[in-house]
Amino acid sequence: MMLSIILPVYNAEKYLEKCLKSILDQSFSDFEVILINDGSKDSSNIICETYASKDTRIVYINQVNQGVAMARNVGLKTAKGTYIGFVDADDFIENSMFQNLVNPLAKKEYDVIISHYKICNENDFDIPRTKIPTNRDLDKSEIKNSILKTYYTGGDPVVPALWNKIYNRSFIEKHKLGFQNQKAVRASDYWFNFEVFQTAGSAFVIEEANYCYNNDISGSIINSFRENQFTGFAESQKKLLDANEHFKFNIDYNKITQNAIKQLLF
């Protein structure tokens, strides 16, 4: 099996069917969907069960609520695909999404493949564009200087998220990569990718933008205040600065502060 798609679900009844349909309608078909209902209190579990009963590509897991980071770890342990992708239950993808992401694998394996994406509003969308070299192989040195360095230079739109990438499962398992409990660590996806790009030896960025990030959700974690977010800001700053003892990047401290603030709101 080429691909495992990990889809955590929590109280997503309003968006879940659209999301699931967009995955199951992919032009690329060699995949499984690891569908994890993380203790939803709405009708999400019924939607999950209905779709799982109709499509054998769905591996359905129903668990008590542990948070999205822990749900993703369950997905990683369950995955059987050569590569792993992630989708959020309130977003959707265009039918060529995963075909475009696996296309570079026709010539060689990569530790991670990255795409652009769309920020979708009700009537339009925007495509944030990366400054990372696109449509060519990136080796470990280029990953450090073009991708990892963005954590210290104000960020890059394609770097922090999970859902615009596929990851080589053997690479993840070799380096024992996973998600820290989001109740203890802010932006677990941001820090997961920070670990990925420290260890990755090969990467590829494609031009296409087929993931549709739903920007119309009100009351989401992005738009809400969290009582620990200022502590999270300080911890993020310290973690990046401590890591730079090894990287030795020249730091613009105004930009690293701006980037840390972005992650508090992400």
Side-chain angles (χ1 to χ4, degrees), residues 19-63:
C19 177
L20 279 167
K21 286 178 181 177
S22 73
I23 296 172
L24 298 174
D25 287 345
Q26 289 292 290
S27 58
F28 177 82
S29 60
D30 187 16
F31 66 82
E32 64 177 355
V33 181
I34 302 174
L35 183 59
I36 306 157
N37 179 45
D38 189 42
S40 295
K41 297 177 182 179
D42 62 4
S43 65
S44 293
N45 65 316
I46 297 173
I47 297 170
C48 290
E49 290 170 358
T50 299
Y51 274 80
S53 69
K54 294 179 179 179
D55 198 311
T56 58
R57 293 174 296 178
I58 296 177
V59 178
Y60 179 48
I61 299 168
N62 189 28
Q63 65 180 35

Side-chain angles (χ1 to χ4, degrees), residues 132-252:
I132 299 167
T134 301
N135 289 330
R136 69 174 179 85
D137 291 2
L138 301 176
D139 62 17
K140 191 169 186 64
S141 175
E142 290 174 302
I143 290 169
K144 176 183 176 182
N145 292 303
S146 295
I147 299 179
L148 191 58
K149 189 176 181 179
T150 66
Y151 282 81
Y152 297 88
T153 56
D156 184 277
V158 306
V159 171
L162 297 170
W163 29 253
N164 64 324
K165 301 174 180 68
I166 58 173
Y167 304 85
N168 189 314
R169 183 165 65 92
S170 63
F171 160 75
I172 288 175
E173 292 176 349
K174 176 182 178 182
H175 295 283
K176 297 180 172 58
L177 300 175
F179 298 91
Q180 297 182 54
N181 189 341
Q182 201 159 15
K183 293 177 181 178
V185 177
R186 284 293 309 121
S188 62
D189 44 1
Y190 173 88
W191 294 114
F192 176 82
N193 281 316
F194 188 61
E195 297 294 327
V196 164
F197 293 124
Q198 288 181 65
T199 51
S202 60
F204 193 93
V205 182
I206 66 172
E207 188 68 39
E208 290 84 359
N210 302 123
Y211 190 97
C212 299
Y213 171 81
N214 186 353
N215 200 40
D216 284 332
I217 302 172
S218 61
S220 70
I221 193 168
I222 285 178
N223 297 312
S224 61
F225 174 83
R226 293 172 300 282
E227 63 181 16
N228 67 336
Q229 69 184 36
F230 295 110
T231 300
F233 170 77
E235 290 174 350
S236 295
Q237 291 268 70
K238 184 177 187 305
K239 191 170 182 177
L240 287 173
L241 293 173
D242 287 349
N244 198 47
E245 291 295 316
H246 171 69
F247 307 138
K248 307 296 185 184
F249 291 128
N250 291 323
I251 295 177
D252 181 329

